[in-house]
Amino acid sequence: MTPTTETTVGIGGAAETTDMVLNIGPQHPSTHGVLRLRLVLDGERIRQAEPVIGYMHRGAEKLFEARDYRQIVMLANRHDWLSAFSSELGVVLAVERMLGMEVPERAVWLRTLLAELNRVLNHLMFLGSYPLELGGITPVFYAFREREELQNVMEEMSGGRMHYMFNRVGGLKEDVPAGWTTRAREAVASVRSRMDVYDDLVLGNEIFRGRTRNVGVLSPEAVHSYGVSGPIARASGVDFDLRRDEPYLAYGELQDTLKVVTRREGDCLARFEVLLEQTHNALDLADACLDRLAELPPGPVNQRLPKVLKAPEGHTYAWTENPLGINGYYLVSKGEKTPYRLKLRSASYNNIQALAELLPGTLVSDMVAILGSLFFVVGDIDK
């Protein structure tokens, strides 16, 4: 007799506990790059979440090894395209440290000013795009209006709108044009005068607060475990900012103006509030730099370099407080004109890992709110 196999198909209550795997992406809109989330769902609730990265991988770290110390600045400012000036700043600081090079004072203050203007540009993008991801279209138009004013002065200074390429080993490409500081001050004042839009239009919106309060709570322990940094870490009560705790550029002289913004709640709303308040402070720091530049006598903004620039044999690590968090470069030199190794520690790469901690247990409807509140750039992940 032929053996038979019996199969029982369960429905009803058994179906309610059946997991479903849902792929969000890979997509570009509203994620500032190409990202995929692999979610395991139990009904409307997320049980597991895995961010899948690599769709934009360009091998920047290997390309660093095939470019000389002047050329790598071009690669450095492209992984986080919203923080281009700050990203290129980190790599030139690392090379200058290897060379034991002192940068002219005027270049130090100009670099600090431009880093803070770049911080405002970065934050304005997220202050506008995050409400957009939650269904509020109006703030993004205001954000781009403010960005245009600052972009105009940055473009006048460097010739570039996103990839400024203005840092050089030893200082800056050139001095700013005549009258530029006056126009920069006017742009800063204009942007500051309209920042209440985000307090009133966004934070004052009960729907926005309802979608973000107590949603996606990130604990301080998780911040430390995943190496999360920047506004996201400070929104969870981790009070750490390299500009204050390990000052570089002119930040050591700006401690009276610098304000490290923190919150305790660690939710989506707290992260947005930190970003907004930090934008206000970056405008204050920009004004302080402009005041100091007005007091400085005319002078050089760079050091004369040899035709072939070679860093001495050795290694060093330089890190900066980029708009999205800690950005670090570990440079290893064998005495050649190209780095032997240049390892990049980008803010978004660490921050995005926290999604595996944030999403499980939450509803699918809160997924976009949590994802957007991490304020990441995918190029900074897939470096």
Side-chain angles (χ1 to χ4, degrees), residues 38-182:
R38 184 181 181 274
L39 306 179
V40 178
L41 306 180
D42 183 358
E44 285 292 308
R45 201 163 291 278
I46 299 171
R47 290 188 58 197
Q48 297 176 22
E50 178 191 2
V52 182
I53 64 174
Y55 293 95
M56 292 184 66
H57 182 61
R58 292 165 290 176
E61 292 178 339
K62 294 303 292 181
L63 291 172
F64 286 149
E65 300 172 13
R67 305 291 189 275
D68 68 33
Y69 288 107
R70 292 180 174 90
Q71 295 169 329
I72 58 177
V73 177
M74 179 273 294
L75 294 170
N77 74 13
R78 278 163 167 75
H79 57 85
D80 176 359
W81 47 78
L82 293 179
S83 311
F85 184 88
S86 302
S87 297
E88 66 186 46
L89 176 63
V91 74
V92 297
L93 289 176
V95 179
E96 287 164 4
R97 183 173 296 177
M98 288 286 286
L99 294 168
M101 181 178 290
E102 289 288 333
V103 175
E105 185 180 15
R106 183 170 177 80
V108 170
W109 282 97
L110 277 172
R111 279 178 170 180
T112 310
L113 166 63
L114 296 172
E116 291 306 312
L117 292 179
N118 193 194
R119 192 180 310 277
V120 176
L121 284 167
N122 175 288
H123 290 356
L124 282 171
M125 175 64 78
F126 291 106
L127 292 174
S129 67
Y130 185 49
L132 177 64
E133 290 162 8
L134 298 180
I137 192 172
T138 306
V140 75
F141 295 113
Y142 288 106
F144 271 85
R145 179 187 63 182
E146 271 67 83
R147 276 177 55 86
E148 279 302 304
E149 293 213 36
L150 294 177
Q151 287 281 33
N152 287 339
V153 296
M154 295 292 277
E155 183 178 13
E156 181 190 0
M157 168 271 301
S158 67
R161 288 185 62 80
M162 286 185 68
H163 304 301
Y164 305 111
M165 276 299 294
F166 202 59
N167 277 289
R168 295 291 187 272
V169 176
L172 296 170
K173 174 187 174 185
E174 58 196 9
D175 206 344
V176 293
W180 181 88
T181 53
T182 300

Side-chain angles (χ1 to χ4, degrees), residues 94-305:
V95 179
E96 287 164 4
R97 183 173 296 177
M98 288 286 286
L99 294 168
M101 181 178 290
E102 289 288 333
V103 175
E105 185 180 15
R106 183 170 177 80
V108 170
W109 282 97
L110 277 172
R111 279 178 170 180
T112 310
L113 166 63
L114 296 172
E116 291 306 312
L117 292 179
N118 193 194
R119 192 180 310 277
V120 176
L121 284 167
N122 175 288
H123 290 356
L124 282 171
M125 175 64 78
F126 291 106
L127 292 174
S129 67
Y130 185 49
L132 177 64
E133 290 162 8
L134 298 180
I137 192 172
T138 306
V140 75
F141 295 113
Y142 288 106
F144 271 85
R145 179 187 63 182
E146 271 67 83
R147 276 177 55 86
E148 279 302 304
E149 293 213 36
L150 294 177
Q151 287 281 33
N152 287 339
V153 296
M154 295 292 277
E155 183 178 13
E156 181 190 0
M157 168 271 301
S158 67
R161 288 185 62 80
M162 286 185 68
H163 304 301
Y164 305 111
M165 276 299 294
F166 202 59
N167 277 289
R168 295 291 187 272
V169 176
L172 296 170
K173 174 187 174 185
E174 58 196 9
D175 206 344
V176 293
W180 181 88
T181 53
T182 300
R183 292 185 287 277
R185 192 184 294 276
E186 291 170 353
V188 168
S190 178
V191 171
R192 180 188 285 106
S193 70
R194 294 197 290 255
M195 286 299 293
D196 60 345
V197 165
Y198 306 98
D199 291 296
D200 301 335
L201 187 64
V202 183
L203 288 180
N205 186 293
E206 62 184 62
I207 298 175
F208 179 84
R209 299 184 76 87
R211 290 291 307 276
T212 55
R213 186 191 286 115
N214 298 324
V215 173
V217 177
L218 184 65
S219 68
E221 293 76 21
V223 167
H224 293 302
S225 296
Y226 287 94
V228 174
S229 60
I232 302 168
R234 292 192 283 274
S236 295
V238 178
D239 189 4
F240 181 71
D241 191 313
L242 285 172
R243 296 173 298 169
R244 179 199 63 195
D245 300 323
E246 193 174 310
Y248 57 98
L249 296 181
Y251 289 114
E253 301 181 45
L254 291 170
Q255 297 302 304
D256 292 339
T257 307
L258 175 63
K259 179 182 179 183
V260 179
V261 183
T262 60
R263 290 290 187 277
R264 290 291 176 185
E265 295 81 4
D267 57 9
C268 295
L269 180 60
R271 291 190 276 275
F272 186 86
E273 288 177 340
V274 167
L275 202 73
L276 178 56
E277 197 169 336
Q278 193 167 281
T279 307
H280 283 285
N281 186 240
L283 291 168
D284 294 338
L285 288 167
D287 266 340
C289 291
L290 286 165
D291 291 341
R292 185 71 178 93
L293 283 166
E295 299 170 358
L296 290 177
V301 294
N302 50 42
Q303 296 277 22
R304 182 178 295 275
L305 299 177

